[in-house]
């Protein structure tokens, strides 16, 4: 049950960030579902990794979006630089993941709370 709860929570958090970035269209939601299915298998193989699924699913969706739609989420900190870049998930493999601007070394928002940073 812990696995399913963690996967549902991760799905909800990543979807909240996609909605905040106005990119939660049907094909993008399908990318989330694919990432959740993949990480379900991953956590079944390594149960101790259950606390990492939020960040991993966020990264999986970010990677899939890069291939299909471009960079996401764009950094709201460096808007004046003229060089838009995507936020990164920090830590890459750890609990309590945040979206971070690597250029400014700033945590922007927890995964799932991007809406507050984009307003």
């Amino acid at each position: 049950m812990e696995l399913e709860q963690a996967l549902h929570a991760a799905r909800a958090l990543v979807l909240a960030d996609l909605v905040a970035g106005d990119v939660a269209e049907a094909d993008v939601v399908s990318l989330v579902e694919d990432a959740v299915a993949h990480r379900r298998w991953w956590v079944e193989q390594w149960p101790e990794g259950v606390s990492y699924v939020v960040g991993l699913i966020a990264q999986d969706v970010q990677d899939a979006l890069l291939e299909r739609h471009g960079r996401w989420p764009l950094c709201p900190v460096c808007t004046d630089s003229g060089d838009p870049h995507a936020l990164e998930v920090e830590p890459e493999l750890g609990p309590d993941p945040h979206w971070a601007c690597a250029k400014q070394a700033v945590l922007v928002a927890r995964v799932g709370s991007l809406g507050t940073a984009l307003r």
Side-chain angles (χ1 to χ4, degrees), residues 55-110:
L56 291 171
I57 290 172
Q59 290 175 62
D60 292 345
V61 171
Q62 185 180 41
D63 291 346
L65 276 171
L66 179 61
E67 293 175 10
R68 295 184 184 188
H69 298 285
R71 291 176 280 200
W72 174 85
L74 291 179
C75 179
V77 176
C78 299
T79 56
D80 297 333
S81 71
D83 181 27
H85 63 93
L87 296 172
E88 299 177 7
V89 175
E90 292 291 331
E92 287 185 35
L93 185 61
D96 194 26
H98 284 70
W99 292 110
C101 171
K103 288 187 177 187
Q104 300 294 325
V106 172
L107 294 179
V108 174
R110 280 193 163 101

Side-chain angles (χ1 to χ4, degrees), residues 20-40:
D22 202 25
V23 293
E25 297 174 13
D27 62 329
V28 175
V29 173
S30 293
L31 297 175
V32 176
E33 296 305 322
D34 291 345
V36 169
H38 172 73
R39 292 304 171 176
R40 175 178 286 112

Side-chain angles (χ1 to χ4, degrees), residues 1-11 32-50 52-54 56-57 60:
M1 189 56 134
E2 180 183 350
L3 168 60
E4 289 305 313
Q5 289 175 334
L7 291 171
H8 286 294
R11 176 190 292 118
V32 176
E33 296 305 322
D34 291 345
V36 169
H38 172 73
R39 292 304 171 176
R40 175 178 286 112
W41 177 88
W42 183 84
V43 175
E44 287 170 350
Q45 305 310 304
W46 187 48
E48 295 82 15
V50 71
Y52 305 154
V53 294
V54 172
L56 291 171
I57 290 172
D60 292 345

